Every structure is written in C-alpha cells, then in structure tokens.
Amino acid sequence: MKPAPFRYVRPSSVDEAISVLAAEGYGAKPLAGGQSLIPTMNFRLAQPAVLVDIDRLDELRGIRDGGGDGATNGLYIGAMTRHSELERSAVVRDRAPLLAEAMPWIAHPQIRNRGTMGGSLAHADPAAELPAVMLALDARIHLRGPAGDRTVQFCDFCTGFFSTALAPDELVTGVEIPPLPAGTGTAFLEISRRQGDFALVGVCAVVTLDAGGVCTRASLTLLSVGDGPVCAKTAEDALRDRTLTPDAVRDAGEAVATIDIDPPADIHASAAYRRQLARVLTARALDTAARRAAGA
Amino acid sequence: MSHDTTFAAPPAEAPARPRQVGESPLRNEDRRLLTGEALFVDDVHLDGMLHAAFVRSDYAHGNVKSVDLTAALEHPGVVAAYAAHDLGDYWEAGPLLVPPPPIDDLEFHAATQVPLAKGKVRHVGEPIAVVVARSPYEAEDGAALVEVDIEPLDVVSDLKGGLEPDSPRIHDQLESNLAAHVIQRKGSWEEVRERAHRVIKRRFWYDHGASAPMENRGIVANWDARSRELTVWDTTQAPIPIRNGLAAMLGLPQSEVRVIAPFIGGGFGPKIMMFYPEEVLLPWISMRLGQPVKWIEDRQESFFATTQERGQDHESELAVDAEGRILGVRDEFLCDTGAYNPYGLTIPINTQCTLLGPYRVPNYHSEFRMVFTNKPICTPVRGAGRQHGVFVMERLLDRAADELGIDRVEIRRRNYLTPEEFPHDHEIIYQDFKPLVYDSGNYAEAMDRAVEMIDYAGFESGAGAAARSEGRHVGLGIVSYVEGTGVGPYEGARVGIEPGGRINLVTGVGTQGQGHFTSFAQIVAEQLGVQASDVEVVTGDTARFGWGTGTFASRGAVVAGNACHAAALEVRKKVLTMASSVLGAAEEDLDLAEGVVRVVGSGESISLGELAALANPLRGAVTPGTEPGLEATAYFGPERGVTASGVHAMILEVDPDTALVRILRYVVVHDCGRVINPMIVEGQIHGGVAHGIGNAFYEELVFDEGAQLLNASFMDYLLPTATDVPTIETDHVETPSPLNPLGVKGVGEAGAIPVGALFAQALENALDVDGFEVREIPLSPNRLFELMRDAREEG
Ligand SMILES: Cc1cc2nc3c(=O)[nH]c(=O)nc-3n(C[C@H](O)[C@H](O)[C@H](O)COP(=O)(O)OP(=O)(O)OC[C@H]3O[C@@H](n4cnc5c(N)ncnc54)[C@H](O)[C@@H]3O)c2cc1C
C-alpha cells in the first residue's frame, strides 16, 4: 500500500495550478484534502503522474454570505473549505441548515479536518453527502479552466458514477447556494453501518409550505441509491399542492422506494434493503422538514 | 483417571502485607506505551536496512506457468528478487505445528504452507515472489513489475461442494479435499434419541473472521557475520519456537539465533501461527545479502497473508426429557481450514468440546469433517472455534425452552453441573490431547448474579413491558459458556534481585498487550514484599530466556504466571535463608515487606539489595556448592487445562423498520478463578466482548464464488468502534483452580465466546415475530431485515 512514483507541484495561485494542469493533461490530478485521492493512490488504483497540490490556495477557501461571486444573493462556499469549517459555521447553520445537518455524517472528525467541499464534489462518490445536498439546494458550481470561469447548475454537474462535467484542466472554485424561499423546512437523514461510514442510504428533504400549510414544493434527493445523487421526481410531483398528512408522507416513501430509485446491491445492503431504508427515511425526513417548514 | 496434582489455594506462603495479587495497580508498561518509548517491530531502524515486498497471487487456484523477475530487478532501488526456484534446498513446506490429538479412528491429512508458491497457487494472497529494495516504495514498485503467468483452475469455495467427488482438488498428493474426519462419542446418542421426550433439530451456520490487530505482522532480520548472530524482531506470539525452527532451517546453532518479540499491538491468535512464509524468507535474505531486511505487512495484505478463522456448517440435535433435562446431543459439522492445515484440529476440537458448555450431557455424538478450500489458511482467532460450539448449544436450549414452555434461565439451571460434580470428566479428548475434565466452577452462582444485575425477573413486567407499550422493540438475552484455558505444555520464568534492590523477572512468553508486565510483576512482588512497580519484566526475547512455547489458548497467566510464582517462591526462600544467617534470627521470626527483611520484635533489618550484594561476593570464599545471587528459574506445566466460565446478558433495542440494533445494557459475570488484577481482567473481558460484538453483528469476510475476498479493508470489513460497544458491567465469581498454585484460570478469550448466541436470543426476544429465528452468525442490519421479512412472509 505505497503509491506508484509521482511528481509533486505546489502552485501558488489558482491560475498557476490551472496552467500546470493544462500542461500535464490527463496525467495530473489536483490534490485537495487527499482523503479520497491518497487512499486510492496507496492501493495503486490511481497512479497520477503529477499531483498539483491546491491545499494552500487560500483564494479557494471561505464562506461568504450574500453577493460575492453570486448573482443570487446566496451563500458562497470556496472549494477548499474544509468539512469541519462547514460543520461549525454559524452562517451555514443559518442559511443552509440542510448542509449543516449533513456535515456530521461525513466520515470522522480527523477526515473532516482535512477533507474539502470541492474535493468531495469533484470526486462525486454516489454515497457522498455533499453532492446530494448541493443538488437538493439547487446549487451552482463554479469552475475555472484555461478559458476562464464558468458556472454549472449542480444537476448538470453530476454526470454519472464518479463522473462530473469537470474537465481535467479545470478546478472547482466554489459553489453558490440560493436562499431558501419563505416557509421552507429541510431535513437530512442517513443510515450507515457505523458512525462515520459511507451511507447505506441518505435522504435530503426540502419542503415549502404556503400559509395554509399546503406543500407548494417538495424536493427529495437521495444518496447511495444510484450512480450519483438521485432526485425522486415521482414522489416530489405527487406532493405538490398537497397537505403533508401521514398518508401523503407514507405514500411519498413508497413512491421513492418503488418508482424513483433503482438502488445497487453491495456487501452491506441488498437492493431490497436499500429500498426499505429509502422508504423509511424519506417518510421520516419529509415529516421533519414539513414540521420545520410550518415553524419557519 | 487421577487428579493427584492438586494444590491448596490461595497458597499458605502468601504474606498478608503488602497485598499485590488481587489489586489493580496502574500498568507498568503503560508509561512506555503512552510516551511512545515502547519498541514495536516497525520502530527497528538499522544501518543499511533493506525492505521487502511480496508478489501475491491474484487467483485463488491456479498453475504457476512462469515467474519473471527481470523487469523488477532492473528497477532502480531494487537490490534482489526471488521466486520459489531461487530458494533451492531452503524451499520446504512448513511444519505441522499442531499434530492431531490421540482420538480413535481419526482421519487426518496434512498439507502445510510453503515459503513461495511453486507449481500451484492455492489461495488469493499466497506469496509467489519477494522483491528487496532500498525503500518500501521501491520494493512495491519492483513487485508490481514481476510478471507472473498463472493458468486459473476451478476453485473450491464452499464446504459441501469441496467434498463432492467431482470437486477440483487442491492438493494433488491427497485423494480429496477432506483434511480431517473426527468422531468423538460419549454414551449412546442413538439409544437416548429413541426414548427422549423431545428432540430438537436445527441447522446452524457460524462464521468467524479476521483477527484485525491494531498492528499487522512485521519482521526485521539482521545477520551479523562478525558476531555470528542472527537477530530477528518478529510480531510473533511464539518467539522461542521461531528461534528453534529458524536455527534448524538455516543450519545455525540456537545460540546464534536471537528472536525478539517486542511490544506487539495485539495478537488474538494468528500471530502464534508458524512458520509464515515471510518469517522463513526474511532471515534467509538477510544472510544472503549480508544486510538487514524489514517487512511490514500492510492492512490489505493482512486480510490474505495472515491466518483467519471462518465458518462451520452444523446439523445438530438435542434430546431432552419433559423437564428440559439434556439427555444427549448429536452434532455434525463441516469446517473450513483454507488452503493448508498447519494448525491441525485445534479449532474444530475446541468447538466439539466447548459445545458441552457448563451442562451435564450424558450422551454425545460429535462428528466433523474439515475441508480444504481455496481461501486463506484458518488458525485460531480469539475464541478459536469455541463460539461456534456455544452458539449451537445455547440455540438448541433456547428452542427446547420454547417448545417445553420452560423459562430460558430455568432450563439452563436444570442442566448445570453443580460444584459437587467437579472434577467432571466429559469423556472426550480436548485440544491439549488430554481428556476434557473440568477442574472447578460454580455456574449457578454466575447465573444468579447475572439475573440480578440485568434484573431478569423485573424485565418482562417492567422495562420490557414499558418499552413494548411505547411500540419499541426491546429484548433481553442471557447465555452461559465455558472456556477451556491455560493448556500445557509448560512455561518458565527467572526471578532475580540485583544489588541495589532492583527485581528482575524474565519469561519466555511474548506479550501483545495483555498486561503481563504488571500481572506477572504482581505475582512476584507479592512473594518478595515489594510493589509491582519495583519489578522489571522482560518477555519474548530468546537471548534472555530460551525455554517456552508461547502465548495462546488464554494460557499466559495460568502457565507463565505460575512459573513466575514458583521462581519468586524460590527466591523468597533464598532471601529468608540468607537473611536468617546474616541477622542471626530464625526464619519464622523474619518479615519481608517493602523490600526489607525485618526481625519481628527487634529493630534488626536488611534490605533486599544488601542481601543481593552479599550473595555475590567479589573476594573471600564461599561454602563450596553455594550458588551466587538471589536468583531462581522455575517452570510450570499444568496437568491439563483449566475451565473458566461465565454468563453474559444484554438488553438491546431493534428498530424493525430499519433493522438497526442498539445495545442498551451489557452484563458479564465471569469466573477465571483467582483474579490477579481485576482491572486487567476487566480489560480482557471488554476487549473480548468488543470482538464478540464484531463477530455477531459487524465483521464478515465476504468471499465470492471464485474465493476472492470482497472486503479486504477496514472500510468494508467492519470492526465495531467505540460508539458500537456499550458500557460493560462486570462481576466476578472466583472458583480457584485446584490445578495450579495461584488458583488462576485464563480470561483472554472469554469475552468473545458467547456474544453471537446472546445476540440471537436477545433479538428473538425483542422482535417476538412468529417464525423469526436466528440460526446464523454474523448478522447485519441487512441480514436481519431479510430474516424479519422471511418470517413475516412465511407467518
Ligand atoms: C475513512 C473515510 C471515510 C469517509 N467517509 C465519507 C463519508 O461518509 N461521506 C463522504 O462524503 N465522504 C467520505 N470520505 C471522503 C472525504 O469526505 C473526502 O474528504 C472527500 O471525498 C474528498 O475531499 P478531499 O479534499 O480529501 O479530496 P482529495 O482526496 O484531495 O481529492 C479527491 C478528488 O477530487 C479531485 N479534486 C479535489 N479538489 C478539487 C478541485 N477543487 N477541483 C477539481 N478537482 C478536485 C482530486 O483530483 C481527486 O480526484 C471518507 C474518507 C475516508 C478516508
């Protein structure tokens, strides 16, 4: 479990990093917190020729509330922001409570101290929390390459199993999360084998209620049930303009489990067990989100 | 048979003050461990040290067509590379470490591991070549360049299939994949089955797993031609047998081989295995290259290259009378030994014997077949087959209780051996080649205490009922077990007092975190009137002590501990004899405490240090025949193993919607005879329970049909963590063993043994779903979900 030989560079700016990536082509990999990349290198599953260490690029770090790069007055988070910074941020708790609620589910404190938001989004593990949260919150991801900056709607960023719209010479620079509409409540729930393990199933629920308590919009995003984060369209549509009665919540769980997802089987969970967990967690998350929306 | 080797316990010589045995002083070794000063194998750094990496088979079964080292040898940094044919005469199959015990009509076919695969590979991870380089990185680069051409063969991955006549054969020299077939009988099962009130019949599957110590294996070998000494630092649990074997293989006198088992981060069984291929090769490479060589196993390797323990498939029957008394048991099982069987029959014989538990079983038919498969080698892992047997018996008793409408605690009480029935001869042979005879115990008392601690009587009407009325699913489990411990043959110890008063204790057993530096010190301190912290303990260095076998079968405290005790008693005798002549007082008038011998009633005294100086005069004359120093070496070899026992109880909660389980309470009442250090005993129990919880609900070696291990990392092989192991409440019953002077029994494996059976019972109690029955371990939320679904669909 020692990596194959590689070269290591530590650029001093984002632009310099991008020019190194552009020059090296597919053999180069950005190194962020290293919590996914280094283990795969130690197993020799990844054998990059060059590591471009972006760990000290402070311009990629930070949490900014409102404005900033964003057009939407949302919350901007730099790619190199550590998981632990998100976990502890009062602004995140206030502006994106779903994100705050998901953070403690990511790995263990040691890993959260090193691992970065950008690394997690670029890595696009289907069992990762952050891609699902970003999808649930309609985030826009900011990328920079040799041709300059571009932004991509998060639903267009995830393209499949461990795949994204990121070009090899591009960096994720940050994400922008739009503010939640009034009357919105969110909830994040997950089941993993042990505290800190990757999710067997996780659910993000975002519910907006009107003054009469009717659901005007519900979003249900699941992790660890497909190639990437999965939007439960059927269940979401069925919830629109309905009061979230226990029956409606249960039906949503049923729709998610039986229609919206086609979960994989692995040594920890069969597809049937994943469906069951999705059924139960969807109902529980919806219920919590709806209660929070009513109190919002 | 005779039981003449009995001792009074506690020994009459034990001084009243200061008491050492029975106390929980802080551990002597912890300062070194916590400040990073303890030496582990990977801490050994020598000038010119090279690093080895192994090329291992990706196939479970195949013919090795060719091994090409050329590209590896050309890689910068690579110094040497070897395949099987490079070893010449040194290539030899390993020893049969544990030959089969003397059981009538036993069938056993040995096939032991080889240093590097020649001709054939028989499991994934079997070493094929070794590459030596200046750094571990370059060694792995080189290993990646070795070209191995393997022609895959059909694979034996399952036990029943492996015995089919058309199964692929793993060892061409054998007629089939049958490694052993053993029957042990007592009374007549056939006869008792006929007249039984009821016969319960079930099929069970019990799988075990990896030992998963915090420190993997590692070896540093250094041949120094000028001093003619081969020094080997090895994470072995058996340094002395390793020295003896290496000397023989390398053609060196034993005096030129020194094996050091320094601090080791956990053993749990597989580190007693010998010889591992790496252990054979590193010393040979160092002698060939004239340079020190290091190999540190990585975590992925350890899942293939270190031995493990696996599953047994049981078909079992229990015959009871109308009152639930056991009339007899029939148990037939298949067990897996992996690609080779160097450890003989220890695991299945432990299963066979431990199944009988604390119960009176007048008739027994136990039969097993051990099967070669294309999986890594099986050798004992903490519990060593005992948990499999306990699971079978406890499950059968639970079923008998259900069918007869008898309370589950009551059915156990009715079958317990009583204290008057010891020694109790089960009339079969145990893993130590001796008849399975229990020395002592008080099973009902342990059960009474556990029942009280967990509030068994109040649970159904109280906590259990309350939880149920809230719609929660809370269940209680309570099971019994015994553990044969402290087997022979022998261990030794040397105790000495230096001028200045320092006390030295040296023993041959290696130590892997059990607290030997403290509990052995306490045993010696008690006799020499000092504190445990005054005793310097050295273990596991063959240059310091050269006789002994190793740390296994929960035997350290029993066998080495009693050797320490015997040596300390002899030194005590020397101290008192000498003090008596120096102080001019009768020995009966002397008191040894706080490192000083005092004449009772007078002010006269002399310290141990002063006596030690007098015992080693530099000039003048001594009485002819006098031995210098205050030092003694002693050995202890028990007549046979001693039987520890206990009761575990737990309360858990299941969420039937998610199949997640939470342990609410965990109680252990344990009897390991006289307790040397309660803190260390509790630590052993806690660690064992953690292993048991892992075995019951988290850990599983998942192989596919091609015998490829699918979860060779700690990401997917799930060890329970601090958040998964509950607070463990413990209590001790002490029935001193009559088979050794200290009256002690082993405790190393106790915590791990009954946990699967306990989980099963508690889950059934919590769910109370018709048809829901647990007949297998390990479980997982996924498996529990399936079992609940199946029960509901059938029900
Ligand atoms: C034991 C363990 C448990 C874990 N459990 C979880 C869990 O439960 N949930 C979870 O979500 N994650 C988990 N992780 C992964 C962890 O969250 C990682 O931190 C995260 O996936 C990657 O972040 P990183 O900064 O460490 O990225 P790195 O490992 O440095 O990089 C990951 C990949 O992203 C690329 N990359 C990194 N940053 C950028 C960027 N700014 N632009 C373009 N490409 C980039 C790299 O080139 C690489 O391909 C776990 C990790 C471990 C070791």
Side-chain angles (χ1 to χ4, degrees), chain A residues 1 44 193-194 273 276, chain B residues 140-141 298 657-658 697 719:
Chain A
M1 285 173 69
R44 295 192 179 220
R193 282 298 321 262
R194 301 166 305 183
Y273 181 49
Q276 167 67 8
Chain B
E140 286 198 26
D141 294 344
D298 68 40
D657 290 334
T658 59
F697 208 66
L719 294 174

Side-chain angles (χ1 to χ4, degrees), chain A residues 21 28-39 51-52 54 60 79-83 105-108 111-112 114-125 127-131 143 166-167 170-174 190 192 196-199 223, chain B residues 715:
Chain A
L21 288 172
K29 277 256 170 216
L31 172 67
Q35 299 302 295
S36 296
L37 183 53
I38 298 295
L51 283 188
V52 182
I54 57 172
L60 290 178
M80 284 305 296
T81 307
R82 309 281 170 188
H83 299 331
W105 289 96
I106 302 179
H108 308 273
I111 291 159
R112 295 200 291 272
R114 298 280 321 156
T116 65
M117 183 200 67
S120 177
L121 299 181
H123 190 55
D125 189 316
E129 288 78 4
L130 286 175
L143 312 175
L166 191 69
E170 270 183 321
L171 283 181
V172 175
T173 53
E190 161 173 332
S192 59
D197 282 339
F198 275 102
L223 52 125
Chain B
M715 183 139 149

Side-chain angles (χ1 to χ4, degrees), chain B residues 71-337:
Chain B
L73 285 166
E74 283 165 5
H75 189 72
V78 170
V79 175
Y82 308 99
H85 60 264
D86 298 310
L87 301 181
D89 287 348
Y90 192 65
W91 191 97
E92 204 183 345
L96 178 62
L97 183 57
V98 185
I103 295 171
D104 291 343
D105 300 326
L106 167 150
E107 186 179 347
F108 181 76
H109 306 284
T112 57
Q113 72 288 355
V114 298
L116 291 172
K118 192 190 266 183
K120 226 177 158 187
V121 286
R122 296 183 177 88
H123 68 85
V124 173
E126 183 162 14
I128 297 170
V130 55
V131 176
V132 187
R134 289 172 318 196
S135 75
Y137 293 82
E138 290 161 317
E140 286 198 26
D141 294 344
L145 292 171
V146 172
E147 279 176 36
V148 181
D149 183 11
I150 290 177
E151 171 194 41
L153 295 169
D154 287 344
V155 166
V156 180
S157 67
D158 114 297
L159 298 177
K160 270 214 158 72
L163 292 180
E164 297 294 333
D166 59 350
S167 165
R169 217 169 352 128
I170 298 175
H171 296 284
D172 299 334
Q173 75 278 19
L174 302 180
E175 272 166 31
S176 73
N177 296 317
L178 181 72
H181 178 207
V182 175
I183 303 174
Q184 295 217 64
R185 278 200 200 91
K186 169 188 186 183
S188 168
W189 160 259
E190 291 74 17
E191 186 263 322
V192 83
R193 189 185 199 290
E194 290 304 307
R195 62 178 169 87
H197 173 72
R198 206 172 279 237
V199 176
I200 317 277
K201 187 169 179 177
R202 286 291 185 283
R203 182 152 175 208
F204 300 107
W205 169 253
Y206 195 105
D207 198 357
H208 200 181
S211 57
M214 204 181 293
E215 184 193 11
N216 289 322
R217 289 187 301 120
I219 300 160
V220 176
N222 183 29
W223 168 246
D224 183 332
R226 286 204 181 75
S227 63
R228 289 204 67 78
E229 187 173 63
L230 173 70
T231 311
V232 180
W233 288 265
D234 187 350
T235 51
T236 180
Q237 294 173 229
I240 296 166
I242 293 278
R243 178 204 57 187
N244 300 349
L246 277 180
M249 281 187 269
L250 294 164
L252 297 172
Q254 287 186 4
S255 59
E256 290 181 4
V257 182
R258 177 183 184 187
V259 176
I260 301 170
F263 278 101
I264 294 171
F268 311 120
K271 288 178 182 164
I272 191 77
M273 216 316 258
M274 60 181 275
F275 277 86
Y276 277 106
E278 302 85 1
E279 268 164 342
V280 176
L281 291 168
L282 272 267
W284 180 84
I285 293 169
S286 177
M287 289 189 76
R288 242 178 123 84
L289 299 178
Q291 273 174 282
V293 195
K294 177 188 268 188
W295 170 74
I296 300 295
E297 182 182 60
D298 68 40
R299 184 60 67 183
Q300 191 185 28
E301 264 184 315
S302 100
F303 277 99
F304 308 103
T306 290
T307 57
Q308 49 189 234
E309 202 183 305
R310 286 194 304 272
Q312 296 180 356
D313 182 351
H314 285 254
E315 279 191 27
S316 318
E317 289 180 272
L318 170 73
V320 286
D321 70 13
E323 278 75 51
R325 282 191 199 88
I326 299 170
L327 300 175
V329 175
R330 183 189 72 89
D331 180 48
E332 262 180 61
F333 65 99
L334 297 176
C335 71
D336 186 354
T337 187

Side-chain angles (χ1 to χ4, degrees), chain B residues 700-734:
Chain B
E700 183 175 7
L701 294 164
V702 183
F703 291 88
D704 68 11
E705 282 168 12
Q708 293 281 349
L709 181 59
L710 301 181
N711 57 342
S713 88
F714 279 167
M715 183 139 149
D716 285 318
Y717 185 83
L718 307 179
L719 294 174
T721 67
T723 53
D724 308 305
V725 179
T727 301
I728 298 159
E729 305 158 53
T730 50
D731 194 10
H732 308 282
V733 170
E734 292 197 26

Side-chain angles (χ1 to χ4, degrees), chain A residues 17-18 20-30 52 144-146 150 164-171:
Chain A
I18 287 165
V20 178
L21 288 172
E24 297 287 344
Y26 280 92
K29 277 256 170 216
V52 182
R144 188 183 300 175
R150 63 178 180 129
T164 66
L166 191 69
D169 55 2
E170 270 183 321
L171 283 181

